Amino acid sequence: MNVAYLKSKIDIIITSESKKEEKLQAICDFLENEISYYDWVGFYFKNGDKKELKLAQYTGEETEHTIIPFGKGICGQVAVSNKNFIVQDVSEQDNYISCGWKVKSEIVIPIFVNGENIGQIDIDSHTANVFTEKDEELLEYICKNSSKIL
């Protein structure tokens, strides 16, 4: 993975004249197209004052998980912990919400605006044990820079 190249392309998307929603969708589409093991890419955001996340832009198979309560699944746990969560094998997680039988691993990185966790990027892969520090670095970069348009 060429992280520098991917970051430069993300910068172009974020600084484009497009609307916020279009930029987020473009990030999802770009990541899913560029990284072979990113099989589902999406953004979840805090749903108003409720203690739940609501699915926003995404690419990949349809999901029934459009609302996720805080604390449930990997995304819900990140909403509470405010920390990155990498699951190399979802079958080893007790508090996992299955998005489909194909999903083998997941990485979720929170997005902060003014110190508040307002959402996250969620990546599912059909390959187990696939995520590395490079994925974490790239996704942290995306979350940090996406926060500027949110």
Side-chain angles (χ1 to χ4, degrees):
M1 172 187 297
N2 184 339
V3 176
Y5 165 79
L6 296 169
K7 285 179 179 180
S8 71
K9 294 297 185 183
I10 292 296
D11 288 342
I12 292 168
I13 294 170
I14 289 173
T15 58
S16 74
E17 295 295 320
S18 302
K19 294 178 184 173
K20 170 182 73 172
E21 294 81 7
E22 293 169 343
K23 291 178 184 186
L24 294 174
Q25 187 62 57
I27 290 168
C28 292
D29 296 342
F30 173 74
L31 290 174
E32 194 263 345
N33 285 324
E34 287 293 316
I35 303 173
S36 64
Y37 54 91
Y38 282 21
D39 297 300
W40 191 94
V41 179
F43 287 96
Y44 283 93
F45 293 102
K46 187 175 178 189
N47 191 10
D49 291 334
K50 299 175 184 176
K51 295 217 175 270
E52 64 185 24
L53 297 165
K54 184 174 182 181
L55 180 62
Q57 291 70 29
Y58 73 95
T59 190
E61 293 181 13
E62 293 284 323
T63 179
E64 61 189 44
H65 304 293
T66 57
I67 301 289
I68 299 176
F70 283 13
K72 290 283 191 180
I74 307 308
C75 291
Q77 291 177 74
V78 169
V80 173
S81 73
N82 299 320
K83 295 181 179 168
N84 299 352
F85 200 154
I86 302 170
V87 179
Q88 297 291 7
D89 183 350
V90 297
S91 69
E92 295 177 357
Q93 282 295 310
D94 292 334
N95 188 1
Y96 174 71
I97 300 173
S98 176
C99 291
W101 64 271
K102 295 178 189 174
V103 178
K104 304 291 187 237
S105 58
E106 182 173 7
I107 184 170
V108 179
I109 308 293
I111 302 170
F112 295 96
V113 173
N114 297 324
E116 179 187 355
N117 182 346
I118 57 107
Q120 53 201 228
I121 191 167
D122 177 20
I123 314 290
D124 291 344
S125 180
H126 298 165
T127 306
N129 301 306
V130 72
F131 297 116
T132 69
E133 289 178 2
K134 286 185 176 186
D135 295 288
E136 196 169 14
E137 175 189 345
L138 174 64
L139 297 173
E140 284 176 348
Y141 181 85
I142 290 169
C143 289
K144 179 181 176 193
N145 288 285
S146 294
S147 71
K148 298 171 186 172
I149 62 169
L150 299 172

